[in-house]
């Protein structure tokens, strides 16, 4: 079974005011201190993994963690809950809390993290980098080779916008309602190498395109290839990067199960000799924009027709598309329940707007979301896998 892992970026905010706080350095130092091995040389010799998984991000008002690769959705859920709780514990030592929000609802002036690479990004991308306080959720799924990985990338393109709509959790920006469900996706796509891309056709063509983009001088290195989905530069995985960080801990598990289903379905299609859908990148950009605009509260472009349709119809099409793969991994019932719950209760954007209506101010929205970030999931946690076969 294909392994899957998740990366989440979390906002660091003041526990009282809800305003973002530039304390990532202190949070990471506390994580290092808490996870320090009494004998680091012996630990390295024994091949022990690092005892924490936190990293800096572009802005000092955020922190990132990555789960280990797993095959069971229940274990992935436990990983996400664990690392969110650890992030909250370390943030508390710096007088902050963590919030799984795609953007800051309150006004903020982001602070670029220290380091040569981040300095380069700030100089090269100017105001785009200065404003880039966004928190996403990235899903990694294992592939057998770069050739299989690129075949997967070519075949999952039409479906990715739905993941943006389902995860949309960033309706507010600088204290204002943007009228978008995922404004994070719009801010992120200002970067030059972000967004949908063309069909590549082969691993050689993919790598040639990536190298040409780096050689252009616009990008510093291959880590700045910010496609909606890409081959990971560090792991034998396809990395899907279109989702907002999600408010409830079970929602990234739902996304991960769907992404694994997409990867497996695409790989089977490639092995059967079926061609990749020839949807233009221009139409995919429209689908991406519409998903960011609507979330689950307005029309989306149907991934098979690229015509407007209701969100429930688009999501049901995704479920049907990956149905065989979900059944084979035992994720079918969990995904069905997760989709039903998401459509009924809404994504993070809907929750945030409802909270503003009931609480009356954005600071209260942030405080509520910070508490919810580390609470038990709203959806039933996935149970033991019941795979076919």
């Amino acid at each position: 079974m294909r392994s899957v892992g998740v990366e989440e970026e979390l906002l660091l905010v003041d526990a009282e005011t809800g305003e973002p706080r530039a304390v990532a350095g202190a949070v990471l130092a506390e994580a290092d201190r808490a996870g320090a091995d009494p004998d680091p040389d012996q630990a390295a010799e024994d091949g022990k993994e690092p005892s924490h998984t936190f990293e800096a991000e572009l802005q000092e008002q955020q922190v990132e963690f990555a789960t280990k690769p797993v095959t069971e959705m229940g274990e992935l859920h436990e990983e996400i809950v664990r690392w969110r709780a650890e992030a909250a514990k370390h943030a508390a030592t710096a007088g902050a809390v963590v919030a799984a929000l795609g953007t800051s609802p309150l006004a903020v002036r982001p602070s670029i993290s220290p380091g040569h690479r981040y300095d380069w990004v700030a100089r090269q991308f100017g105001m785009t980098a200065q404003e880039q306080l966004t928190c996403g959720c990235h899903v990694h799924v294992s592939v057998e080779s770069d050739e299989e990985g690129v075949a997967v990338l070519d075949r999952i393109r039409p479906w990715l916008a739905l993941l943006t709509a389902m995860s949309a959790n960033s309706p507010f920006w600088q204290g204002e309602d943007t009228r978008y469900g995922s404004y994070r996706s719009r801010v992120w796509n200002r970067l030059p190498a972000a967004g949908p891309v063309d069909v590549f056709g082969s691993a050689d063509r993919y790598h040639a395109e990536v190298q040409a983009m780096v050689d252009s001088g616009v990008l510093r290195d291959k880590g700045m290839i910010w496609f909606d989905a890409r081959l990971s530069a560090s792991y034998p995985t396809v990395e899907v990067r279109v989702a907002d960080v999600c408010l409830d801990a079970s929602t990234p598990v739902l996304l991960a199960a769907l992404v694994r289903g997409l990867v497996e379905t695409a790989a089977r299609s490639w092995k059967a000799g079926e061609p990749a859908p020839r949807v233009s990148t221009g139409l995919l950009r429209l689908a991406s924009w519409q998903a960011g605009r609507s979330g689950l509260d307005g029309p989306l472009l149907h991934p098979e027709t690229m015509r407007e349709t209701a969100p429930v119809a688009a999501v049901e099409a995704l479920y049907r598309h990956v149905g065989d793969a979900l059944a084979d991994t035992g994720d079918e019932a969990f995904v069905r329940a997760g989709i039903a719950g998401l459509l009924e209760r809404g994504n993070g954007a809907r929750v945030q707007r409802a909270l503003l209506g009931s609480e009356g101010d954005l600071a209260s929205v942030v405080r509520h979301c910070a508490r919810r970030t580390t609470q038990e999931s709203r959806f039933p946690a996935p149970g033991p896998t019941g795979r076919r076969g």
Side-chain angles (χ1 to χ4, degrees), residues 131-154:
E131 290 184 341
Q132 198 64 231
L133 180 56
T134 62
C135 293
C137 171
H138 306 159
V139 179
H140 288 258
V141 178
S142 63
V143 290
E144 296 177 1
S145 65
D146 282 3
E147 203 65 47
E148 181 184 65
V150 172
V152 165
L153 296 180
D154 288 348

Side-chain angles (χ1 to χ4, degrees), residues 50 62 72 85 129 145-146 157 164 167 204 231 286 300 329 340 388:
Q62 60 187 149
E72 304 291 337
S145 65
D146 282 3
R157 296 162 69 246
T164 301
S167 67
D204 286 345
L231 297 183
L286 293 183
L300 300 172
T329 56
R388 286 198 310 207

